[in-house]
Amino acid sequence: TRLRLKKPVLAAIEGHCVAGGLELAVWCDMRICDETAIFGVFCRRWGVPLIDGGTIRLPRLIGQSRAMDMILTGRAVDAKEALNFGLANRVVAKGTARAEAEAIARMIASFPEQACMQADRQSSLEQWGLPSIGHALVNEYELGREVLKRAALGA
């Protein structure tokens, strides 16, 4: 999970998504879970630390306070609470998470200008490492301008 892929990554989650599985899920761009999904830092219960980005990505995704609740207590978070936290993007009927994730992936892939979506995704991810909102706005503009420039040359 140290890679940054060019294309969006969607997670389909059914049942338990804990410890390393949770770290992998928060690396993804979207998490689609079914109503049976349970999220948690269960490794806390056995004294095993998060070592694959969980202590960084989870707070960035759901906020420091909610993340600390999960990280410190190791408690289970059900699908409804995960959706409320912003940990899950969508909750679907039992057994349908993969089908829904695949449908969303097909919809994203059907957009006419993939470079535009990729530039917006890149800007959204890179803004975390930039020193100010001003730098992030410049980065967004430059990435968008490159897409428009390539589109104009190809038109």
Side-chain angles (χ1 to χ4, degrees):
T1 61
R2 304 230 185 280
L3 297 173
R4 181 174 290 174
L5 302 181
K6 190 173 182 180
K7 296 179 181 181
V9 180
L10 281 63
I13 301 161
E14 297 180 358
H16 283 78
C17 180
V18 299
L22 176 65
E23 290 183 292
L24 181 59
V26 297
W27 172 78
C28 295
D29 296 296
M30 293 178 66
R31 286 145 304 284
I32 295 84
C33 68
D34 80 0
E35 57 202 9
T36 69
I38 300 291
F39 298 85
V41 183
F42 286 11
C43 53
R44 179 64 53 242
R45 301 172 184 187
W46 294 277
V48 178
L50 294 168
I51 59 169
D52 207 11
T55 62
I56 296 123
R57 292 185 184 104
L58 186 62
R60 287 182 176 191
L61 187 65
I62 67 172
Q64 185 74 23
S65 180
R66 288 176 170 153
M68 290 304 272
D69 179 8
M70 291 181 70
I71 291 167
L72 297 177
T73 67
R75 74 180 182 87
V77 172
D78 66 20
K80 182 178 177 183
E81 187 176 14
L83 182 65
N84 184 45
F85 274 11
L87 179 52
N89 296 90
R90 302 182 190 191
V91 176
V92 296
K94 180 180 178 180
T96 64
R98 181 175 171 179
E100 181 66 16
E102 290 174 356
I104 294 167
R106 282 190 297 277
M107 187 250 326
I108 291 169
S110 75
F111 291 144
E113 184 50 61
Q114 290 295 302
C116 176
M117 179 269 305
Q118 289 168 347
D120 287 347
R121 179 179 177 273
Q122 182 179 347
S123 174
S124 183
L125 292 170
E126 288 178 352
Q127 60 95 16
W128 289 103
L130 298 174
S132 72
I133 191 169
H135 288 89
L137 289 168
V138 168
N139 188 53
E140 176 191 57
Y141 175 78
E142 292 298 327
L143 291 168
R145 191 175 78 163
E146 281 301 311
V147 170
L148 295 174
K149 187 175 9 174
R150 284 192 305 267
L153 291 173

